[in-house]
């Protein structure tokens, strides 16, 4: 009986197509198509965002991206996204209290305003970063991201 749940979980994972992240998400093409541990410019062409940033990510200019270069590119994208989110939050927070009220959300964050009651977990009339963080975590299915460290 103890082994039932782990076996079911293992079966569910092995039943997913290679590269899929969930049963409802379509399988992704692997970036490293030939499995040699590096991504060539040709392999990157199947992923537009990677192809667009290939030259900047290829820091040693060898025409291939190794895992360290890809990780650095991911970290840079996360940092840029975090900076954009921080700026958007600050501009929406017109009274500077660090939280977004319903009125502030309605003025500049319509999607947040539509989901305000769900996001305002403690029902205090404002959404704090911690509440937004929890909502993102739930929407991602509990998967951690770069913001989990903040």
């Amino acid at each position: 009986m103890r082994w039932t749940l782990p076996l079911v979980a293992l079966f569910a994972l092995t039943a997913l197509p290679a590269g899929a992240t969930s049963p409802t998400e379509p399988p992704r093409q692997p970036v490293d198509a030939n499995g040699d541990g590096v991504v060539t410019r040709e392999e990157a062409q199947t992923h537009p965002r990677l192809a667009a940033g290939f030259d900047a990510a290829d820091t040693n200019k060898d025409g291939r991206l190794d895992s360290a270069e890809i990780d650095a590119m991911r970290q840079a994208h996360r940092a840029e996204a975090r900076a954009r989110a921080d700026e958007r939050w600050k501009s929406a927070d017109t009274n500077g209290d660090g939280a977004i009220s319903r009125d502030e959300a309605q003025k500049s964050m319509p999607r947040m305003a539509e989901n305000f009651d769900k996001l305002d977990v403690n029902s205090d009339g404002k959404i704090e970063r911690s509440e937004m963080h929890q909502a993102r975590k739930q929407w991602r299915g509990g998967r951690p991201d770069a913001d989990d460290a903040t």
Side-chain angles (χ1 to χ4, degrees):
M1 191 65 172
R2 280 188 350 204
W3 297 97
T4 306
L5 185 57
L7 287 175
V8 169
L10 180 61
F11 176 76
L13 288 174
T14 58
L16 288 174
T21 56
S22 74
T24 58
E25 196 173 300
R28 295 182 194 163
Q29 285 292 93
V31 178
D32 181 13
N34 63 4
D36 65 353
V38 295
V39 176
T40 63
R41 187 178 305 280
E42 292 76 32
E43 289 172 322
Q45 295 308 309
T46 60
H47 298 273
R49 195 165 143 194
L50 180 59
F54 190 91
D55 290 329
D58 185 16
T59 56
N60 64 6
K61 304 303 179 204
D62 66 352
R64 306 171 346 148
L65 301 178
D66 60 29
S67 61
E69 290 169 320
I70 291 172
D71 287 344
M73 184 180 190
R74 273 192 199 113
Q75 291 301 321
H77 282 160
R78 286 181 180 150
E80 290 168 11
R82 206 174 306 117
R84 284 191 308 270
D86 286 346
E87 186 56 41
R88 189 162 181 227
W89 188 276
K90 286 176 188 172
S91 68
D93 181 19
T94 56
N95 66 1
D97 68 350
I100 306 297
S101 69
R102 185 179 304 271
D103 187 48
E104 290 170 329
Q106 289 171 339
K107 289 178 182 173
S108 61
M109 297 179 135
R111 286 183 54 205
M112 181 186 282
E114 289 173 14
N115 296 294
F116 196 89
D117 292 328
K118 286 184 217 172
L119 295 170
D120 184 15
V121 176
N122 62 3
S123 301
D124 66 353
K126 57 187 176 183
I127 299 171
E128 296 172 12
R129 286 181 177 257
S130 60
E131 291 171 310
M132 199 65 215
H133 177 73
Q134 276 305 113
R136 278 195 320 272
K137 202 170 182 178
Q138 284 180 325
W139 292 333
R140 284 189 324 271
R143 292 187 324 264
D145 71 355
D147 290 339
D148 286 343
T150 59

